[in-house]
Amino acid sequence: MKKLNIAVTGLNATDNPAPGIPVIRSIRHDLNNIGKIIGLTYDAFDTGIYDGDLLDEVYLIPYPSEGEDALLKRIEYIHARTPIDILIPTLDSEITNVNRLMTELTSMGIKLFLPTEEQFRLRSKALLSEFCKKHGISCPRTMVINDPRLLNDALKAYGTPIVVKGTFYEAYIAYSFEEASISFQRLKAKWGLPIIVQEHLPGEEYDVACVGSGTGKLIGAVPMRKLRLTEKGKAWAGVTIKDTVLAKLSEKLIKALKWRGPCELEFLKEQKSGKYYLVEINPRFPSWIYLSAGAGVNLPATVVQLALGKKIKPLAPPQAGISFVRHATDLVCPMRYLESLTTLGELIYR
Amino acid sequence: MATTLKTQRNLKEEITLTPNGFLFDHVTGLTYTVNETGGLILKHLMEGGTAAEALKAMTGEYDISESMARKDLEEFIEQVRSFGVL
């Protein structure tokens, strides 16, 4: 059996961890035909790159803002050193550039299993409300604005508090026009326009990690309830659940989008009504994805198989009650690792 | 007896109750702890038992009057119902 070299991005695992390291752990958990795991990273201090047990090679790559040409050049260099069989980008901001390089990457023999640009666009925060309306899916009332004066309209329509969201990342809860304006400016400076403003619904958060076939079929789904949150609202502990309503909603969404590849559906179960509202669709694995491997529905390993062109039958849902707890630890390493990354832009473990 | 143990939920499938009184709701992901008496009532409920049977089990297990057991049972049922477990 041919050994696979798999390149994975998103390796910074701080209190807002990227999904790369859990994706690698999942792949290593179930696949035994792994050649090299190649970490692609942006900064020499991205924490996960110092885990030499998980990674074989690490390379710095240009930030997405530098464009797809810079990324292609870097991938060509890496590919010449160690041929990449499969590339798994795990950050929202990377999907567009990687998609634009699909032809070049495919001709190099690098396989991907990603959403199309159109699928990616349809689930964007700015268009999600429209998409939900079209497909009869509940979501919080939303305004997409470019002018901070319109925050007043949102406050009048939705009452307080409101949720002010950046077009790519981050969200703040605002209790007044002044607070909302500060959040607007902060998000605009960081992620640009538009800004998304939503009504705030009190309730519990539920997430579903999914893999779609690209033809409307849901290949696998792992629903999870967050048990502990960080100050940034990220899951620090969670548990698999089994809810037929949530399962049907996930199927409906994947079918409507004809989603190809991994995604995370974020729902809010309203306290008052018990009804699920779709809050976001993230176009990549969540950072808690190792739970899928632990629960026997290994979604990253499934994406590897799909990228190879294998036909995969829809996976049975996981058993309820498999939980995870995140654990921060220290990696100890010689200074030459940092030296190698900062001077050469790469670190070869083996 | 006024208290009904009827529920729309398939408790046998949707709830795990351990001997130590740890309750996990598979649908909501919520967890609870119940005392020994609560565990006894819930076990009856999960097996499709009636309120009268739960009451009989309580008076058989503990040195308690029927009226006191009935009051405890009604309070417990009301509480778990308010949590959405029933």
Side-chain angles (χ1 to χ4, degrees), chain A residues 1 31 36 53 55 123 127 132 158 178 182 192 231 249 256 285 320 323:
Chain A
M1 192 189 290
L31 299 181
K36 286 190 171 177
D53 291 337
L55 293 151
R123 48 55 53 195
L127 296 180
C132 286
Y158 308 152
E178 289 70 28
I182 292 167
E231 281 177 10
L249 258 175
F285 284 121
S323 52

Side-chain angles (χ1 to χ4, degrees), chain A residues 233-251:
Chain A
K234 304 295 165 190
W236 206 254
V239 63
T240 55
I241 59 157
K242 199 167 201 168
D243 184 352
T244 47
V245 178
L246 202 55
K248 279 183 186 155
L249 258 175
S250 306
E251 265 179 45

Side-chain angles (χ1 to χ4, degrees), chain A residues 206 225 227 239-243 269 276 320-321, chain B residues 9 13-14 16 24-31:
Chain A
Y206 291 84
R225 181 182 183 273
L227 293 178
V239 63
T240 55
I241 59 157
K242 199 167 201 168
D243 184 352
K269 192 174 187 181
Y276 283 109
Chain B
R9 299 190 61 179
E13 290 288 319
E14 295 179 0
T16 299
F24 171 62
D25 186 328
H26 298 198
V27 176
T28 63
L30 291 168
T31 58

Side-chain angles (χ1 to χ4, degrees), chain A residues 17 67 78 140 187 321:
Chain A
I78 299 162
L187 292 166

Side-chain angles (χ1 to χ4, degrees), chain A residues 203-221:
Chain A
E204 300 285 343
E205 285 181 47
Y206 291 84
D207 293 350
V208 188
C210 298
V211 172
S213 67
T215 56
K217 213 186 293 171
L218 178 63
I219 298 286

Side-chain angles (χ1 to χ4, degrees), chain B residues 65-78:
Chain B
S65 70
E66 194 180 312
S67 63
M68 181 61 84
R70 187 187 307 272
K71 189 172 165 284
D72 285 354
L73 176 66
E74 285 174 357
E75 273 177 17
F76 180 75
I77 295 299
E78 196 181 320

